[in-house]
Amino acid sequence: MRALIVAELERVQAGEPVSADLRARLREAGWEGDDFGGVDPAGDAAILLAESTLPLAELGRDANLADRVMAALGSAPSQALDLGRDASLADGVMALLGASPTSVGNLGRDASLSDGVMAALGAAPSQVGGLGLNADLVQPVMATLAAPAETVAPVAVPANRSLAWFGLAAAAALVLVGLWPQGAGPSVAADFALSSEVVVEDLAWADSVDVWQDQGEGGALILWVEEREVAL
Amino acid sequence: MTRMLMVALGLALATVGSMSASAAPPAAAERPAAVKVAIDLRVIHANQSGVIDPAVADVARQLGARYSGLKLLAAHQDQLVQGVEQTFTVEGNRKLKVQLLERTATAARVRVMLMAGAEKQFDTTVSLPRNKTFIVAGSKVRDGVLVFPIAVRW
């Protein structure tokens, strides 16, 4: 997957059109042109990645960084999404991001903004805990926001683009590493555990059902539960 | 959607930036990290409609000729923190409760309970290899059954 990300970023940074694979993944994730005012999100995401000096673009130049990013995101794949589900917390952070006078790239330079985001996160400890946010992620986030400017790569903001498109670019990267929810669209085939690879223990069931262990035609473990019919 | 994208951007940028820094904050370094895994749960209706939803073609290959039709009803993506029970509400007044009991570098032990209303229909513990998927199936609804492919990744 890292090779795919690197290849994709190298492609767009070289001025080539976004690959059909990225377009397909964006569409699988439910991104249709109509959702963004008729604009082609894949194309714009690619342009942004090519034009900007987003830290994400470093993925194409630093293989070790790509691994670290994937490891970090992979350790907490739903944290960003969980944050987005909580309206009050998300609104607080969003308001602060939206209040940024210039660009996302100033996050690390604008002390008041950094303080604001930190306050928003810190002011809602129960929400953070309830959302399952990893404190080990929150701490580095807060530290990064408060860090000196030189630790955060500058971001070039095209004058005619909104910050939302940078979110789109970031989300495109999340799609590329397979962490964005794929909704009800076509999905990547699951890697099924074979019956021989799985141990089922302490199996207990109610009198109203029968339960048994079976093997799918592809060898996957299937736990069948036979019960009385109920209405949807 | 836009809000989620921007929040994702903020965290993604901050995460990248934090990894570029020379050292982690002492407080974070001293705190033991919670053991967790990502869980993907798909809720599928298997029937005899003759139509296979492309999103669940992989499951159709496992079920074989038993059902000619499969439709993806819902897809849940979340995370399991060790020792914390996660409940997914699914069709037919069912709840699937999942709890991460243990995780090593290569395998995880997950407790799975299926509830129908207040009744616990079954309760078991499954040990499976890293990033693999297993299937719970059979709850009857209408002219078919529910199928739950459950993937555990870390």
Side-chain angles (χ1 to χ4, degrees):
Chain A
M1 184 59 73
R2 184 185 64 77
L4 176 62
I5 298 171
V6 171
E8 191 67 33
L9 288 169
E10 287 177 348
R11 187 198 321 278
V12 297
Q13 286 170 350
E16 297 177 18
V18 65
S19 71
D21 184 66
L22 174 57
R23 288 178 180 278
R25 286 169 183 243
L26 288 167
R27 290 197 176 92
E28 286 171 8
W31 290 358
E32 300 296 339
D34 291 341
D35 292 339
F36 295 90
V39 178
D40 177 5
D44 271 60
I47 291 168
L48 279 170
L49 286 171
E51 290 181 349
S52 75
T53 53
L54 268 167
L56 288 170
E58 295 295 328
L59 286 170
R61 295 192 284 271
D62 181 348
N64 292 330
L65 179 58
D67 286 337
R68 292 199 299 273
V69 169
M70 290 180 65
L73 291 174
S75 69
S78 63
Q79 287 170 348
L81 305 180
D82 282 342
L83 188 58
R85 289 191 194 116
D86 183 80
S88 59
L89 183 57
D91 285 346
V93 175
M94 275 297 301
L96 288 161
L97 291 174
S100 172
T102 50
S103 73
V104 176
N106 285 340
L107 271 175
R109 296 173 177 164
D110 183 341
S112 61
L113 180 61
S114 299
D115 290 344
V117 174
M118 291 169 71
L121 291 170
S126 60
Q127 290 173 326
V128 171
L131 290 167
L133 273 173
N134 184 350
D136 291 338
L137 177 62
V138 174
Q139 287 290 346
V141 168
M142 296 167 73
T144 300
L145 292 173
E150 54 270 23
T151 64
V152 178
V155 178
V157 182
N160 61 343
R161 295 183 188 281
S162 70
L163 285 175
W165 291 106
F166 282 94
L168 184 58
L174 290 176
V175 169
L176 278 174
V177 298
L179 298 177
W180 195 262
Q182 299 298 301
S187 60
V188 177
D191 187 5
F192 290 101
L194 302 177
S195 289
S196 58
E197 297 177 314
V198 179
V199 177
V200 178
E201 54 186 308
D202 301 331
L203 182 59
W205 59 92
D207 293 338
S208 60
V209 299
D210 288 320
V211 178
W212 69 94
Q213 185 175 333
D214 198 3
Q215 181 174 303
E217 294 197 1
L221 170 78
I222 303 177
L223 287 173
W224 282 99
V225 183
E226 189 172 284
E227 60 174 17
R228 295 188 301 273
E229 187 167 353
V230 298
L232 268 177
Chain B
M1 180 74 172
T2 301
R3 184 180 67 194
M4 290 179 64
L5 294 179
M6 294 189 66
V7 172
L9 166 68
L11 286 181
L13 288 178
T15 302
V16 171
S18 70
M19 287 181 294
S20 300
S22 58
E30 293 167 3
R31 186 184 300 109
V35 176
K36 60 182 69 173
V37 296
I39 180 170
D40 294 341
L41 166 67
R42 286 183 283 173
V43 182
I44 300 168
H45 186 229
N47 51 55
Q48 303 297 345
S49 67
V51 179
I52 301 291
D53 187 337
V56 294
D58 56 337
V59 179
R61 284 191 288 275
Q62 294 294 338
L63 297 179
R66 233 183 296 227
Y67 297 95
S68 65
L70 290 180
K71 179 178 175 55
L72 179 63
L73 300 178
H76 303 273
Q77 295 180 315
D78 217 312
Q79 65 179 2
L80 296 179
V81 177
Q82 186 175 30
V84 179
E85 186 176 278
Q86 184 79 275
T87 300
F88 299 94
T89 300
V90 298
E91 278 66 14
N93 193 29
R94 308 282 174 29
K95 284 185 170 62
L96 201 63
K97 296 186 175 183
V98 188
Q99 182 178 0
L100 174 65
L101 300 178
E102 185 181 2
R103 190 204 74 183
T104 68
T106 57
R109 288 178 70 238
V110 180
R111 184 181 182 189
V112 182
M113 290 175 282
L114 180 63
M115 309 290 294
E119 181 188 44
K120 182 162 65 177
Q121 290 193 320
F122 91 93
D123 182 349
T124 190
T125 298
V126 175
S127 299
L128 76 164
R130 182 175 186 170
N131 299 336
K132 295 282 188 173
T133 300
F134 67 100
I135 298 173
V136 175
S139 296
K140 290 184 178 178
V141 289
R142 295 186 299 193
D143 56 346
V145 300
L146 293 177
V147 179
F148 310 111
I150 302 171
V152 179
R153 298 181 286 104
W154 67 98

